[in-house]
Amino acid sequence: MSATDGNGLKDRIIRVGTRKSQLARIQTDSVVEMLCKQYPGLHFEIVAMSTTGDKILDTALSKIGEKSLFTKELENALERNEVDLVVHSLKDLPTSLPPGFTIGAICKRENPHDAVVFHPKSCGKTLNALPDKSVIGTSSLRRAAQLKRSFPQLEFRDIRGNLNTRLKKLDEKEDFSAIILAAAGLRRMGWENRIGQILNPEDCLYAVGQGALAIEVRAKDQEILDMVSALHDGETVLCCIAERAFMKHLEGGCSVPVAVSTLLKDSQLYLTGAVYSLDGSDSLRETMQTSVNYPQQNEDGPNDDVQHVGITAKNIPHRAQEAAEKLDLVASSFYKDHRWDCTFHW
């Protein structure tokens, strides 16, 4: 099957795995809609399921100790051939996937930055304008570590639950003056009007892969892999390869809260990466760049399905992907002399 016709799949129903949350369903619906436009003759069925991360709501994610909190059950279904592909938020996927799986597509990225949603009594304010000791809710140690540095007059506390639950906790109680959420999720839910402030990279770098949707497939299911590859967005893929390679390098040694920001401009890929102590008092931050100006070549052969940090993207120049992935070598030289006694969080 070519990546443009889908004829080999017309006689079957393609099952798409997803989490049960409202946001996950919206994201999956958007992916299925794109696939239907690309392949109008194909038929899709959405299979929703709960993951471990959806079920454990009374414990901070950083204390659970499981990297595949939001993916394991979905990957089990993929392995058992109960679904043909799975839609994830890319930031939920570890940099090393289980054997036999690959990320077959990364869709065009939504706004990757973090956003502040204020309590109704604080609407119209910014974080700097809140009274000292105001409490800010976040489920992310990455966000808390950075924001403690930028806004030392504020206090930060954990808040769990899906988007709906966290917004309800904010609006109906007096526990929080504001909460920090991913702008992408708010926009996809149609709640952009709740965004009171977008955090710029100087205040808060974002999580690896934040704002991007990934489609995970069985690596040897060539028909499905070819089909979903049509949804790859080249710029997003290169940025996310660089981000995931940066995080993978840090996972290999001492691990700390990790944050990034990437930009592709004039064929130059820029990655700003940072690591923080848990309380935000110590940090290392550096910006790296590389050229990704390589033409697409006919690369059929033994390496035509090569993965870069779990991503298979044959329709994007291989040498450009290699350059993006090798940015972590620059990170290695920058961080090699630092050893922090911390736990990895994103």
Side-chain angles (χ1 to χ4, degrees):
M1 184 193 85
S2 76
T4 57
D5 56 41
N7 285 331
L9 298 168
K10 282 188 174 180
D11 294 330
R12 57 186 275 198
I13 295 176
I14 300 164
R15 299 153 300 172
V16 183
T18 181
R19 292 165 58 195
K20 284 184 176 180
S21 74
Q22 184 181 358
L23 176 59
R25 289 300 304 264
I26 288 173
Q27 293 178 163
T28 301
D29 287 346
S30 72
V31 168
V32 170
E33 183 180 354
M34 287 187 282
L35 288 171
C36 286
K37 288 181 179 178
Q38 187 75 27
Y39 308 104
L42 300 187
H43 302 282
F44 298 89
E45 174 186 317
I46 295 177
V47 180
M49 60 194 77
S50 296
T51 65
T52 302
D54 297 315
K55 297 171 184 175
I56 303 176
L57 298 176
D58 57 353
T59 305
L61 294 177
S62 58
K63 296 179 180 178
I64 299 174
E66 168 64 58
K67 288 185 179 180
S68 53
L69 282 172
F70 297 106
T71 62
K72 189 173 183 179
E73 287 79 5
L74 294 163
E75 288 175 334
N76 288 343
L78 191 60
E79 184 176 31
R80 295 191 297 261
N81 291 305
E82 295 171 359
V83 297
D84 300 298
L85 57 108
V86 175
V87 178
H88 299 282
S89 293
L90 180 59
K91 69 176 183 177
D92 291 338
L93 281 173
T95 55
S96 296
L97 300 182
F101 298 142
T102 189
I103 297 170
I106 299 179
C107 306
K108 185 174 178 61
R109 196 176 209 167
E110 179 58 91
N111 184 335
H113 297 284
D114 290 314
V116 187
V117 179
F118 291 92
H119 188 279
K121 291 183 178 179
S122 299
C123 280
K125 293 186 177 181
T126 63
L127 289 181
N128 262 331
L130 292 174
D132 288 0
K133 304 297 182 181
S134 293
V135 177
I136 311 302
T138 175
S139 60
S140 163
L141 292 180
R142 169 191 59 82
R143 291 167 179 154
Q146 294 182 82
L147 294 175
K148 285 174 184 177
R149 294 172 60 87
S150 299
F151 306 97
Q153 76 278 16
L154 303 178
E155 295 183 1
F156 296 88
R157 294 181 190 166
D158 187 69
I159 183 171
R160 282 295 315 278
N162 57 37
L163 282 183
N164 310 60
T165 302
R166 279 181 274 178
L167 286 172
K168 186 175 182 180
K169 289 179 180 179
L170 172 69
D171 293 340
E172 296 184 0
K173 299 181 180 181
E174 302 289 333
D175 296 344
F176 300 99
S177 296
I179 59 177
I180 313 298
L181 301 168
L186 290 164
R187 289 168 63 97
R188 288 175 179 139
M189 292 285 282
W191 296 338
E192 191 170 5
N193 64 321
R194 291 302 309 267
I195 297 176
Q197 181 180 357
I198 294 288
L199 295 174
N200 63 52
E202 293 307 311
D203 290 328
C204 192
L205 298 173
Y206 45 81
V208 167
Q210 186 159 306
L213 299 182
I215 305 175
E216 187 178 18
V217 302
R218 293 179 290 273
K220 294 188 180 299
D221 192 340
Q222 197 64 51
E223 286 188 322
I224 296 294
L225 183 57
D226 285 345
M227 177 193 70
V228 301
S229 69
L231 300 190
H232 267 312
D233 178 73
E235 179 176 340
T236 303
V237 169
L238 294 176
C239 287
C240 290
I241 285 175
E243 294 172 15
R244 286 171 61 82
F246 174 72
M247 184 166 72
K248 186 173 184 177
H249 165 75
L250 294 175
E251 285 177 330
C254 180
S255 298
V256 295
V258 178
V260 297
S261 177
T262 48
L263 173 68
L264 182 56
K265 183 178 181 181
D266 299 330
S267 298
Q268 293 290 313
L269 178 60
Y270 301 86
L271 166 68
T272 298
V275 292
Y276 300 87
S277 60
L278 294 181
D279 63 1
S281 60
D282 293 319
S283 68
L284 292 169
R285 175 171 171 152
E286 182 68 11
T287 297
M288 302 144 267
Q289 79 177 85
T290 188
S291 172
V292 290
N293 185 22
Y294 296 101
Q296 178 68 290
Q297 297 175 329
N298 185 356
E299 295 166 345
D300 287 341
N303 297 318
D304 61 350
D305 282 342
V306 66
Q307 293 188 28
H308 297 276
V309 281
I311 300 165
T312 300
K314 290 192 294 182
N315 50 347
I316 296 168
H318 174 61
R319 291 181 65 192
Q321 295 181 63
E322 276 192 330
E325 187 171 14
K326 287 179 179 177
L327 265 178
D328 81 301
L329 298 179
V330 182
S332 175
S333 65
F334 181 70
Y335 295 111
K336 66 180 179 180
D337 295 326
H338 298 81
R339 294 293 183 267
W340 293 0
D341 184 18
C342 300
T343 304
F344 176 79
H345 304 286
W346 58 89

